[in-house]
Amino acid sequence: MRERGLLGYPVNVAIIEICLYDVRPTGIDIETCRAVFEASSSREGRMDSSKGFLRFLSPPCFLATCLSAFLALVIVALALPTTLDKITSSPFPVRIDELRFGIVHRSNFIDLIPFRAKVAPRETLYIDAVDGGRVDRVLVEPGDLVQKGQALIELSNTTLALQVIQQESQLNQAISQLQQNEIALEQNRLSNERALADIDYQIVRLQRSAARHDVLAASGADSLEQRDLIADELSYYRQLRSIQTESGRRQAELCSRLLPDIQQLLVLLRHNLGIVHDKLDGLVIRPPVGGRVSVIDLKVGENRSPGQRLAELTPDRGMRLSASIAEIFLGRVHPHQSGTVSVAESDTRVIVRRVSPKIRDGVVDIELDFDGGTPPGLVSGATLTGHLASEGNAPTMIVPTEPFLERTGGRWVFVVADDNRSAHRRAIQIGRHSPQQIEILSGLSLGEKVITSDYAGIIDEDHLLFVD
């Protein structure tokens, strides 16, 4: 029975039927294959054989069927991408209240320099043994608050006590000698004044006697020899007065020159005597200022040498931070630079007080002060993390640092459409980034709105549709 094919050629009812009764492990034998090819050269192929039975199309019909199958495959291939695109291009719905957004803006990039800082007292008072001695009593413990002049430790030192006694004796002798010298000068001054007064008295007396003897001698009642004797004595006392006056002047000058030195030496010796006494008083250790005892580790009976550390005291003047940063940041850190540290899950502002000019093992030491006072609850030795802010010179495009950066690695971002109802994926290129800012090099424009929240659940999508 004949039928017309797609191009009008006669075809058999069945296209191809192959029944092989002898199937060898290596496949159809060569003779059967040759029979098939010989039969295919005739207009209608038909062959009966003990090897099998074959019915097939004539050559024109076979070509038409192959062409039809090829056209069908082409049509399916062309329609398949369109269908898949329609399926995959449909926006993925997301709730808008679950998203966070950021605006691309131009600003200076604030580079953050991380550091780990250790809390330390702003000031530490070290209490050392001046002369040393044996520990007799320990009156405080670490953590105690003490007042200025309060007794902390009591020491005893027999050798020091003997030295103090000897030095005190020597100083007392020196003071006594100076005092005797001072008394001697004063006595000499008084003696000179007394001698001068006596001479003046004698001169006055002799003048009166000479006047009386002159009258008597003139009347012949007195001898001339007696008158001349009185006149000679009066002349002697007058000459002696000039000598005594000069001696008194020189004695006064000497006293005026030596007495201040003697008095100054007396003051110095009395001060030294006080120092000697203080050596014994120094065996009772007292702080010069009030504060909190931070370190004290003494046992009663142990000996401490001169200069050996006894205790540490922290005055109540706040805390500071001591940190180290990598030497690559040395040129970007300077005094009065601001930063933040995390204290009790909140950010606290700090100011750089000092930057060490030396590099040690690839790091630079810096000291920071709290801006506005030390936060409560900090203890010496605690570790805080923070960063310093180093602002760039040239403005650049910035978006806030959000969780999307961890998902995309900064290679792409969802950009919100102008209607604020959808968003699509766009490739971007980022530069520097910090915990607060991301520098955009390309892919975005100023003023564009991007999704900055976590991309979990939408990371494989290209288009998003916002729903309420």
Side-chain angles (χ1 to χ4, degrees):
M1 181 178 179
R2 297 176 183 269
E3 295 181 359
R4 292 290 178 177
L6 181 62
L7 299 180
Y9 295 100
V11 296
N12 291 329
V13 176
I15 297 176
I16 299 176
E17 293 179 1
I18 301 178
C19 297
L20 297 178
Y21 302 109
D22 181 15
V23 180
R24 300 181 183 179
T26 56
I28 302 173
D29 62 323
I30 193 62
E31 295 297 328
T32 303
C33 292
R34 183 180 294 109
V36 171
F37 286 109
E38 290 177 356
S40 64
S41 62
S42 62
R43 184 174 182 180
E44 294 187 15
R46 183 179 300 269
M47 181 185 71
D48 295 328
S49 172
S50 62
K51 298 295 185 180
F53 177 77
L54 176 64
R55 295 179 64 197
F56 54 88
L57 294 174
S58 60
C61 296
F62 179 75
L63 292 177
T65 302
C66 292
L67 182 59
S68 300
F70 175 74
L71 291 176
L73 291 176
V74 170
I75 293 172
V76 172
L78 292 176
L80 183 59
T82 304
T83 303
L84 293 176
D85 184 66
K86 289 181 180 180
I87 296 174
T88 58
S89 63
S90 59
F92 183 79
V94 293
R95 293 180 58 86
I96 193 171
D97 57 357
E98 297 178 353
L99 303 176
R100 291 197 303 272
F101 302 92
I103 304 297
V104 182
H105 61 282
R106 186 174 294 276
S107 175
N108 288 340
F109 182 81
I110 300 177
D111 194 8
L112 300 181
I113 302 173
F115 64 83
R116 290 176 62 87
K118 182 162 290 189
V119 179
R122 183 185 292 273
E123 296 181 8
T124 300
L125 178 65
Y126 298 105
I127 301 176
D128 298 337
V130 178
D131 296 296
R134 185 174 64 89
V135 178
D136 287 343
R137 296 176 65 191
V138 180
L139 306 176
V140 294
E141 296 180 352
D144 290 350
L145 285 173
V146 297
Q147 304 298 322
K148 177 181 178 181
Q150 178 180 341
L152 306 180
I153 307 164
E154 291 184 2
L155 304 176
S156 61
N157 190 326
T158 305
T159 303
L160 179 63
L162 294 176
Q163 291 177 355
V164 167
I165 293 174
Q166 182 180 1
Q167 292 174 2
E168 184 178 7
S169 176
Q170 294 173 353
L171 288 173
N172 286 330
Q173 290 178 2
I175 291 173
S176 177
Q177 184 64 41
L178 288 175
Q179 288 175 342
Q180 290 178 1
N181 294 337
E182 185 180 14
I183 292 172
L185 289 174
E186 186 65 20
Q187 289 177 346
N188 290 336
R189 184 184 65 80
L190 293 175
S191 297
N192 288 331
E193 291 180 356
R194 188 181 301 110
L196 183 61
D198 183 64
I199 292 172
D200 290 339
Y201 167 74
Q202 294 295 335
I203 290 174
V204 171
R205 183 181 63 80
L206 291 173
Q207 285 178 345
R208 290 175 182 176
S209 179
R212 287 192 300 269
H213 281 283
D214 287 341
V215 173
L216 293 175
S219 61
D222 193 9
S223 64
L224 294 176
E225 182 179 0
Q226 186 65 29
R227 186 193 66 178
D228 292 340
L229 183 62
I230 293 175
D232 292 341
E233 189 176 359
L234 178 59
S235 176
Y236 166 74
Y237 275 107
R238 284 175 176 171
Q239 291 178 358
L240 183 61
R241 187 181 190 283
S242 62
I243 295 174
Q244 186 64 36
T245 301
E246 179 65 20
S247 175
R249 184 185 64 81
R250 292 182 179 179
Q251 186 69 28
E253 290 179 354
L254 182 63
C255 289
S256 63
R257 187 175 66 253
L258 293 180
L259 282 177
D261 293 340
I262 291 175
Q263 292 174 354
Q264 186 176 0
L265 287 174
L266 285 173
V267 171
L268 181 60
L269 289 175
R270 290 190 178 100
H271 176 70
N272 292 339
L273 185 60
I275 293 177
V276 171
H277 289 159
D278 291 341
K279 283 187 175 181
L280 291 179
D281 295 337
L283 294 176
V284 179
I285 309 301
R286 305 175 187 272
V289 296
R292 186 180 298 276
V293 179
S294 56
V295 176
I296 183 169
D297 185 16
L298 298 175
K299 302 295 185 296
V300 175
E302 67 176 321
N303 290 311
R304 288 300 173 104
S305 303
Q308 194 170 0
R309 184 67 40 82
L310 298 178
E312 294 182 13
L313 185 70
T314 302
D316 190 13
R317 297 175 183 172
M319 296 289 185
R320 63 178 175 86
L321 296 177
S322 178
S324 298
I325 61 173
E327 62 176 318
I328 60 174
F329 299 121
L330 180 58
R332 293 153 57 186
V333 179
H334 53 82
H336 310 296
Q337 185 175 354
S338 63
T340 58
V341 294
S342 179
V343 180
E345 299 183 355
S346 62
D347 291 337
T348 302
R349 191 169 183 264
V350 293
I351 303 295
V352 177
R353 182 175 69 173
R354 185 181 68 86
V355 179
S356 175
K358 297 181 179 180
I359 299 175
R360 176 179 51 83
D361 298 331
V363 297
V364 179
D365 296 329
I366 62 174
E367 292 184 2
L368 306 100
D369 289 331
F370 290 99
D371 187 18
T374 304
L378 285 182
V379 295
S380 179
T383 301
L384 302 179
T385 59
H387 56 264
L388 298 175
S390 176
E391 187 171 340
N393 297 324
T396 184
M397 287 194 299
I398 298 293
V399 296
T401 299
E402 294 286 350
F404 82 95
L405 181 64
E406 298 180 4
R407 295 285 182 176
T408 68
R411 295 184 297 273
W412 60 273
V413 69
F414 280 116
V415 182
V416 179
D418 295 337
D419 58 2
N420 286 327
R421 299 299 303 171
S422 62
H424 63 279
R425 182 195 295 246
R426 184 189 298 177
I428 62 172
Q429 183 180 1
I430 66 172
R432 298 168 294 176
H433 60 87
S434 69
Q436 281 76 32
Q437 294 176 313
I438 302 174
E439 181 185 24
I440 302 300
L441 300 180
S442 63
L444 294 175
S445 301
L446 289 176
E448 285 191 306
K449 188 175 182 181
V450 298
I451 299 176
T452 59
S453 55
D454 194 356
Y455 285 0
I458 60 174
I459 193 170
D460 295 328
E461 306 298 332
D462 291 328
H463 301 278
L464 304 178
L465 177 65
F466 302 151
V467 295
D468 297 332

